[in-house]
Amino acid sequence: MDALAVILEQPEKLALRRLPLTDAAAGDAVVDVAWSGISTGTERLLWSGRMPSFPGMGYPLVPGYETVGQVAEAPAGASVRAGQWVFVPGARCFGTVRGLFGGAASRLVTPAEKLLPVDGALGERACLLALAATAHRAARGMAEGERPLIVGHGVLGRLLARVAVAMGAEPTVWETDETRRNTDGTYGCVSPEADSRRDYARILDVSGDSAGLDGLVARLAPGGEIVLAGFYEAPLSFAFPPAFMREARLRISAEFRPDDLAAVTRLIEGGRLSLDGLITHRAPAARAEEAYRTAFADPACLKMVLDWRDAA
């Protein structure tokens, strides 16, 4: 069994070719992929060669952790069945080619327990579940009526704002790019200069800007918390005295967990969280190289999705 896969052979060198797949073992499912999203955070760093030291890092690799498809084969007694739509958070089934994170391929072999059943009506939007779950993890502990600040209005920032609203919060979002300040109407998005508040109890940064901590500390209320939910390629630093005077707290929100996926699935099913309007670009898998360049270079591209349904 083999699959057509996106392969980053080295920084800025991408190929699309067939790879043999590891045979399915006991407990493994086989998934025929319909769509996979391109991450403009971690995948951009893999593409550019600027990814900091990371477990399993090395080229060649198959990227992708935002994959949706249908189960082709499922083991007996599994929680998924053949024909069911599932979200796949990546795979390691390409032999000597690393799966980091291994979801950008036409077919995947992965432990069935890692698959999340999804409503087929979501279609390509189900690719956004990883980012929605990441947003949910960053927002944990947020209270109804809270008025947090979210820094950055890319897809993750938008999902974080929507999750916050679903939790009953009233977020403000900062975005430096004027073309990205459009919202769904449930929260406000402004430039940092247009916001005079300096009493935020919680600031959630998804900008990836490693040089912005001092500016965020200056906007904190005493005892406030800064949540780092982006991915930062450069070391972070900040001036200690202002943070000391505020008794500031710093929290790093890492990868999502299965309970985050389950939580956002419930929010979606309950009509409290929408994934609409976030996928702006689409391309057939055959045009993967062009799609990756567009995803990383075009500021109008919030989320690019590859369509694998016609992949031979």
Side-chain angles (χ1 to χ4, degrees):
M1 187 164 52
D2 62 8
L4 192 64
V6 171
I7 305 170
L8 272 173
E9 298 178 327
Q10 60 188 48
E12 298 192 22
K13 186 178 181 183
L14 182 148
L16 187 69
R17 69 170 187 263
R18 291 206 160 273
L19 291 176
L21 296 180
T22 305
D23 292 338
D28 284 346
V30 179
V31 179
D32 288 331
V33 174
W35 302 279
S36 64
I38 298 175
S39 164
T40 55
T42 52
E43 284 189 67
R44 185 202 298 265
L45 296 177
L46 291 171
W47 162 264
S48 65
R50 301 197 312 272
M51 173 66 85
S53 181
F54 198 85
M57 181 62 196
Y59 300 90
L61 62 86
V62 176
Y65 57 88
E66 303 171 344
T67 301
V68 177
Q70 282 186 291
V71 177
E73 300 175 19
S79 59
V80 296
R81 63 184 185 278
Q84 190 169 22
W85 285 96
V86 291
F87 172 80
V88 191
R92 298 178 180 176
C93 56
F94 307 102
T96 59
V97 176
R98 292 174 173 85
L100 197 66
F101 300 89
S106 62
R107 175 169 283 190
L108 300 171
V109 177
T110 188
E113 64 183 14
K114 293 184 177 296
L115 302 177
L116 176 71
V118 298
D119 184 351
L122 282 176
E124 64 183 9
R125 292 172 297 168
C127 290
L128 297 166
L129 284 172
L131 287 178
T134 299
H136 183 270
R137 187 155 192 83
R140 68 185 185 273
M142 194 170 290
E144 185 171 357
E146 188 172 334
R147 299 176 61 208
L149 171 64
I150 297 168
V151 182
H153 202 225
V155 174
L156 181 54
R158 291 168 194 248
L159 282 167
L160 183 50
R162 294 182 186 189
V163 168
V165 169
M167 292 177 167
E170 302 172 20
T172 294
V173 181
W174 282 359
E175 175 54 57
T176 58
D177 185 343
E178 184 178 0
T179 65
R180 287 195 168 198
R181 291 188 195 136
N182 59 307
T183 75
D184 64 358
T186 62
Y187 59 90
C189 183
V190 299
S191 68
E193 296 77 15
D195 183 7
S196 61
R197 277 192 63 189
R198 292 180 176 272
D199 62 347
Y200 285 105
R202 190 191 310 248
I203 299 176
L204 304 104
D205 180 50
V206 293
S207 69
D209 179 9
S210 57
L213 270 177
D214 285 329
L216 301 185
V217 169
R219 300 298 191 115
L220 271 183
E225 176 185 64
I226 295 175
V227 181
L228 300 175
F231 200 91
Y232 307 86
E233 62 178 282
L236 288 86
S237 63
F238 60 94
F240 182 73
F244 172 80
M245 294 299 291
R246 287 172 174 79
E247 288 192 324
R249 290 175 289 122
L250 192 66
R251 175 164 65 89
I252 297 172
S253 183
E255 298 175 336
F256 60 87
R257 300 291 189 268
D259 59 321
D260 297 304
L261 280 171
V264 295
T265 299
R266 289 193 297 271
L267 290 175
I268 293 166
E269 291 174 346
R272 297 172 59 196
L273 176 63
S274 171
L275 302 179
D276 294 345
L278 299 175
I279 296 173
T280 56
H281 290 65
R282 302 157 181 83
R287 291 169 50 197
E289 182 174 12
E290 177 186 346
Y292 270 77
R293 292 185 183 277
T294 298
F296 300 152
D298 185 350
C301 182
L302 286 177
K303 174 59 67 176
M304 170 72 79
V305 166
L306 293 179
D307 189 334
W308 293 91
R309 290 173 296 176
D310 293 330

